[in-house]
Amino acid sequence: PIFIRVSIQTIEKKQVRRLPYAPFITSTLQQESSRKLRMSASQTMRTAQKLYEGVDIKGETVGLITYMRTDGTTLSEDAVNQCRTLIQSDYGSKYLPDAPRLYKSKAKNAQEAHEAIRPTDLSRKPEDVKSMLDDQMFALYDLIWKRTMASQMENAIMDQVAADISDGTDDVILRATGSTVAFDGFLTLYQETDDEDDDAPRARRSA
């Protein structure tokens, strides 16, 4: 066997912040539903339509989500306040940013007449309505609720380490990288997929 002696040339350590993605628009809802729930775009929209049209709650038909055809990423002031109140009460102040987060669509010619896709009442948690929904409706509502809440939560902080490894001749240098979660922030509620597209902008703080 041939043995090659290698040595670590440099080690770089740093902390990086991960910001949450925006609440769902139509395209990002379809994409995440496909990745996480294995639902087709048409299945997602049919299921979202049912949630929008509503379910019976105490004898009254109640719509559970806002309009599902939108490329607007904004949330109403009431929705943001609901998010922040729930984050404070359920997760604590360290998960609550100092100021609400604002989002702006990256989609060209975006028509932001409608809000982002969100629950009509954030205090109506997924488990509260599970018994009233079929499996697909519950899974999609759960996804929308968590994404909306996470969009107003604090950044995640990652400890990253990169090491350059050499064979001693510098002809071959390999880089090994790894990361660990120093503070989970919004990741405590919503784990994002790695291949989100540009239609789902990251957060920015309000002025």
Side-chain angles (χ1 to χ4, degrees):
I2 298 175
F3 296 95
I4 299 175
R5 185 184 297 275
V6 296
S7 60
I8 297 176
Q9 299 290 84
T10 60
I11 296 178
E12 179 184 351
K13 297 180 180 180
K14 62 180 179 179
Q15 278 197 334
V16 297
R17 296 186 305 162
R18 286 188 60 188
L19 280 66
Y21 281 114
F24 284 127
I25 60 176
T26 302
S27 61
T28 55
L29 176 64
Q30 291 172 329
Q31 290 155 10
E32 276 289 82
S33 177
S34 174
R35 294 172 187 134
K36 291 186 173 179
L37 308 180
R38 299 293 184 263
M39 291 169 61
S40 68
S42 59
Q43 284 178 316
T44 298
M45 295 310 287
R46 283 196 301 269
T47 305
Q49 180 74 36
K50 293 178 183 178
L51 293 171
Y52 173 70
E53 291 175 351
V55 297
D56 183 87
I57 298 179
K58 296 180 179 179
E60 181 181 356
T61 300
V62 177
L64 296 182
I65 64 170
T66 56
Y67 192 55
M68 62 283 167
R69 296 190 182 277
T70 177
D71 51 15
T73 55
T74 59
L75 296 175
S76 71
E77 184 178 349
D78 285 345
V80 170
N81 289 337
Q82 268 199 320
C83 283
R84 290 177 62 81
T85 297
L86 284 168
I87 293 167
Q88 175 70 55
S89 63
D90 292 2
Y91 299 93
S93 57
K94 67 180 181 178
Y95 288 90
L96 183 67
D98 293 336
R101 295 190 181 280
L102 302 177
Y103 296 88
K104 185 173 177 60
S105 176
K106 290 185 178 181
K108 292 182 178 178
N109 303 317
Q111 300 295 317
E112 300 198 8
H114 294 287
E115 281 188 80
I117 303 168
R118 64 165 178 85
T120 52
D121 184 349
L122 272 301
S123 68
R124 193 176 289 123
K125 298 177 183 179
E127 290 299 324
D128 296 338
V129 296
K130 185 174 184 178
S131 63
M132 308 168 194
L133 308 176
D134 63 34
D135 290 345
Q136 285 191 333
M137 290 172 71
F138 172 74
L140 194 64
Y141 183 77
D142 183 66
L143 191 69
I144 293 168
W145 188 89
K146 288 179 178 177
R147 175 76 165 230
T148 305
M149 288 286 294
S151 74
Q152 290 297 321
M153 294 181 81
E154 189 55 274
N155 303 329
I157 300 175
M158 316 295 290
D159 286 330
Q160 289 190 345
V161 178
D164 289 334
I165 303 171
S166 172
D167 64 354
T169 66
D170 290 338
D171 290 336
V172 177
I173 296 179
L174 303 176
R175 169 158 281 217
T177 60
S179 63
T180 57
V181 178
F183 172 61
D184 55 2
F186 71 92
L187 295 175
T188 193
L189 185 60
Y190 189 88
Q191 297 286 330
E192 298 161 334
T193 49
D194 292 332
D195 52 350
E196 289 267 16
D197 71 8
D198 287 339
D199 285 338
R202 292 285 186 172
R204 59 190 177 92
R205 291 286 177 83
S206 64

